[in-house]
Structures are given as C-alpha cells and as structure tokens.
Amino acid sequence: MKACVLHQAAPIAQRPLVWGDVPTPVPGPGELLIRVHACGVCRTDLHVVEGELSGGRLPIIPGHQIVGTVQQVGPDVAGLSAGARVGVAWLGGTCGSCRYCRRGSENLCEKAVFTGYTRDGGYAEYAVALADFVYPLPEAISDEQAAPLLCAGIIGYRCLRQCGIDNWPDARLGLYGFGAAGHIAIQIARSRGAKVYVCTRDRERHQKLAEELGAVWVGGVEDRPPKMLDAAIIFAPAGEIVPLALQALDRGGRLVLGGIHMSPIPELRYEDLYWERLIRTVANNTRADGREFLAEAASVGVRTYVRTFPLAEANEALIALKHDAIRGAGVLLV
Ligand SMILES: [Zn+2]
Ligand SMILES: [Zn+2]
C-alpha cells in the first residue's frame, strides 16, 4: 500500500514524511483492517513529526482521525463486518485493568496505545485498529466532514466539559486559537446557549470564520475580551497565552488547556489565579467522550469546514497547518 512514513523527526519545512510503498498490515486478534477514505490533519501530528513529544515509535505512519470502511475482520471480533463505515481516533487501545481504567478514566491509562503515535495511523491507504476502539459514523455525514470530528471534535468536547458550563445558558466562554478544534467547539457551545469570545492571531481566515460561526466578539490573542469570562479554552500551543487568559477570567472561572504540548508558561501572578480560578489540562479522551460527542454533533448538525489535500501531500498539509493557512480543518483524501 501507499503511505506517508516518518522515519526521523525533523522540522516540517524539511518535509520529513516519506511517501512510498509499505506492506499492507494484517489484522490480528480483535483488530480490523480499514480501507482509509480520509484522515484529518491534527496539530498533534505536527508535534509528532517535529519530535516535540516523547514516547512515540519510529518509524511511524501518523494520523489519528481516520474515516474508512472495514476491509477485513481479524479473529475474535464481534459486531462488525466488512463494509462497515467506521472512524478511528487518537485513543487506540487501553489495558482495561490499571487503576485509571478501573475508575473510568481510560484516557489516563498507563499502557494506552495511540493511533499514529505508538501504532500506525491513517496517513496511508490502509490502517489496522482495535475493533473495540472504533466508532460507527452516521451515514449522513461525508468522509471529509467526519474526519475532523474524530480528534478536533472529541478533544474540544472534552475541553468544553472541563469548563463546567454544560448547563449554564449565557455562560461567557473564551476560545484562544481557532483552528480545527475551535471551529467545532464554538458550534457545540453556542447550541448550549454559551456566548463565545474568540482570540486568535490569524485575522485573514480564523477571525472571519469565528464571526461567521457566531462569536459575539473576535480579537487578537493579546486583546482583552470586553466581558470577564466564565471559562476559557486554550487550543493554541503557546504558553504565553496562559497569563493573558487568566486575566480575562471572572472569579471562579476555569481555564482549560486543550493541547498535548505547549511552549513554556511564563511566571504567574497569584492575584491572577486567586478567587478560585482553576487551570487544568485535557489528556486524550475516553471512548464515552467520543460516543457522546458524535451523538451531540449529529443532533446539533455540526458542520466542519475543511481544506483537502491528496494523501501524498501530507507534508504540505502540515506546513499549511503550522502557518495558520487552513480555514477550519485539514483533511487528507486517499
Ligand atoms: Zn489502563
Ligand atoms: Zn489530534
């Protein structure tokens, strides 16, 4: 099969993904072979390719927002058969028995495997996934529309939950960074009645899209929203935003950091954190997050804005992502 393989991490400008032929994987017990139709491009892929995360495997085929159809079913798989359309997300497998798994926090599993990071992902014509970790996808939504839901959507959903504003009409929510995750999260947040304030450095694409999607206010990252925020999510991987976002938070407000990697956070002033403000990170997702998000996205009618690239041009897609040149989400078409 054709695939984009990372042999050695390097700055994306050096185009480290190598396009070529590799053996088509064979599904083992509990696994599915999936013919990939589309795979979303995530900032985490950029971190993997540029070597900003530790613990990954090399060589690796990146990509953890896979939409495809089941081509072949491995031994010991029940309930899924060839031809089924499924999605594969970042959480590729968990042990089911560690202290985190046992208490329902499988996102924290000590032995978790991650698609496109510790096992091969979807920048390829075929991918293997554990059947227990794939999601059935509604027929109504196209392959390219569905792909960004599988990480940008699910992680944004988990961030929203950590904001503590689920049942709080008129809650004031700030979003810092407005790429793939932000443009989906705003749709869910608005459907729940929140007023959304967007801070993003890119005026050309991201600020305009935020206005189109109903933000009550849009500004730059250093601009202070006109009202104090009840909660905020930082999707941008920039630690210097943390004190700025804290200063925009109302008493008791929560600040959620949605990325897997962030540049160093500057020293904080206690007075910016005081009044019971909270900062917390989001690590991975549970399968329940995925199922609940996909159901809510379908019922709300979430629409993703995508820019598509041919699979062979994964390097170009990641370069565009790095330079804020994608409106909405990037998706590779196979
Ligand atoms: Zn576990
Ligand atoms: Zn991702």
Side-chain angles (χ1 to χ4, degrees):
M1 68 170 183
K2 294 284 189 206
C4 290
V5 183
L6 180 72
H7 295 276
Q8 187 63 51
I12 192 63
Q14 296 177 20
R15 295 173 170 75
L17 290 169
V18 178
W19 169 248
D21 287 295
V22 298
T24 302
V26 176
E31 292 181 334
L32 308 167
L33 177 67
I34 295 164
R35 187 163 70 83
V36 181
H37 299 165
C39 186
V41 173
C42 175
R43 188 168 289 279
T44 297
D45 302 337
L46 190 57
H47 295 317
V48 168
V49 168
E50 297 200 312
E52 286 172 316
L53 308 179
S54 58
R57 199 197 78 195
L58 286 174
I60 188 79
I61 300 172
H64 55 270
Q65 303 184 90
I66 304 171
V67 178
T69 48
V70 176
Q71 178 85 10
Q72 189 187 338
V73 176
D76 309 325
V77 172
L80 277 166
S81 49
R85 184 163 171 266
V86 294
V88 184
W90 171 248
L91 189 72
T94 56
C95 75
S97 58
C98 72
R99 59 202 299 259
Y100 308 104
C101 284
R102 287 202 313 269
R103 73 180 193 215
S105 302
E106 66 179 0
N107 60 307
L108 305 179
C109 175
E110 292 166 336
K111 293 179 181 154
V113 292
F114 300 106
T115 313
Y117 182 45
T118 59
R119 58 185 288 159
D120 282 333
Y123 286 17
E125 290 177 320
Y126 292 90
V128 157
L130 283 167
D132 286 346
F133 284 78
V134 304
Y135 302 89
L137 295 173
E139 278 307 318
I141 181 157
S142 71
D143 295 336
E144 62 187 65
Q145 281 270 305
L149 300 178
L150 290 160
C151 181
I154 293 173
I155 294 296
Y157 178 82
R158 188 170 176 88
C159 290
L160 271 179
R161 174 179 293 160
Q162 307 292 7
C163 285
I165 56 170
D166 290 16
N167 298 303
W168 184 350
D170 294 327
R172 296 191 290 256
L173 171 69
L175 299 180
Y176 289 81
F178 201 74
H183 97 287
I184 298 172
I186 192 176
Q187 297 178 56
I188 297 281
R190 287 196 64 228
S191 76
R192 295 173 177 181
K195 302 254 185 296
V196 183
Y197 298 74
V198 173
C199 300
T200 176
R201 65 182 177 182
D202 180 82
R203 282 174 204 285
E204 194 54 35
R205 297 173 194 85
H206 296 181
Q207 290 193 3
K208 281 188 186 155
L209 183 56
E211 282 166 6
E212 271 179 54
L213 289 172
V216 295
W217 175 89
V218 178
V221 166
E222 311 219 328
D223 298 334
R224 178 76 68 89
K227 298 253 173 84
M228 296 300 274
L229 304 172
D230 300 308
I233 304 170
I234 301 181
F235 289 118
E240 66 268 22
I241 298 175
V242 171
L244 299 171
L246 267 183
Q247 288 157 20
L249 272 191
D250 204 356
R251 294 178 181 193
R254 294 197 196 182
L255 176 59
V256 177
L257 313 183
I260 193 170
H261 170 79
M262 188 176 245
S263 58
I265 298 172
E267 192 172 279
L268 299 176
R269 297 186 307 178
Y270 186 62
E271 66 212 70
D272 292 336
L273 190 56
Y274 190 62
W275 292 114
E276 302 197 345
R277 295 180 182 95
L278 290 177
I279 303 178
R280 80 176 293 172
T281 61
V282 159
N284 312 317
N285 64 282
T286 65
R287 282 171 284 179
D289 292 330
R291 287 190 293 266
E292 289 165 23
F293 165 69
L294 290 169
E296 186 165 341
S299 76
V300 168
V302 164
R303 184 181 158 209
T304 54
Y305 290 67
V306 299
R307 177 172 163 196
T308 61
F309 299 80
L311 174 61
E313 293 177 17
N315 284 312
E316 310 311 315
L318 289 170
I319 289 169
L321 174 66
K322 183 161 186 171
H323 295 103
D324 294 338
I326 294 175
R327 178 183 150 93
V331 174
L332 302 175
L333 293 182
V334 181

